[in-house]
Amino acid sequence: ILVIEDEELVRNVLAFRLKKDGYEVVLAKDGEEAMKELATQNFNLVLVDIMLPYVGGLELTTHIKSTPKTKDTPVIVLSANGLEQVILDAFALGATDFIVKPFNLAELSIRVKRTIR
């Protein structure tokens, strides 16, 4: 699982929970790091925050879904902005799911498991 999150605390909490659930996790703190990881590795899932430096989460979602190598990779978008239009935009760009921050770790685990299945 590739986790793209600029807030270190949130990134570390996500990594801890996902590793506890048995997943291998790669972390990226911004869109540029994420683009490098996506170019060199294959992922079963991408968790991406909307608000990122350099390349935003919605731009990354568009990139993932428009690139032949990654177009079938599920993307779960994370955002503190739960406005209906933001959620609709994420789904229109190809997001598989959308989780509003602050998130419940048990719910996150269930959504990740369901998405990867």
Side-chain angles (χ1 to χ4, degrees):
I1 298 175
L2 176 60
V3 173
I4 312 158
E5 169 62 60
D6 60 326
E7 293 182 44
E8 184 177 13
L9 177 61
V10 176
R11 192 170 58 242
N12 290 338
V13 166
L14 286 166
F16 176 80
R17 180 56 187 239
L18 293 168
K19 287 177 183 177
K20 182 179 174 194
D21 290 344
Y23 300 107
E24 290 182 37
V25 179
V26 174
L27 301 175
K29 69 177 185 283
D30 58 46
E32 287 182 348
E33 280 186 14
M35 298 284 262
K36 290 176 188 170
E37 294 295 343
L38 287 163
T40 61
Q41 295 189 59
N42 295 317
F43 296 97
N44 294 323
L45 174 65
V46 174
L47 291 175
V48 60
D49 184 28
I50 282 186
M51 299 298 292
L52 294 169
Y54 312 116
V55 180
L58 293 180
E59 291 173 82
L60 277 171
T61 301
T62 300
H63 171 76
I64 291 165
K65 293 302 178 178
S66 65
T67 302
K69 177 185 175 207
T70 57
K71 69 180 175 65
D72 295 325
T73 304
V75 176
I76 296 178
V77 174
L78 307 171
S79 179
N81 185 346
L83 293 175
E84 181 179 356
Q85 191 57 55
V86 174
I87 296 168
L88 291 173
D89 289 346
F91 282 120
L93 295 172
T96 308
D97 203 350
F98 190 101
I99 299 175
V100 178
K101 294 187 210 175
F103 47 82
N104 175 295
L105 287 174
E107 178 185 357
L108 175 94
S109 289
I110 291 166
R111 288 177 180 230
V112 165
K113 184 177 180 180
R114 184 185 69 202
T115 300
I116 289 179
R117 224 186 306 148

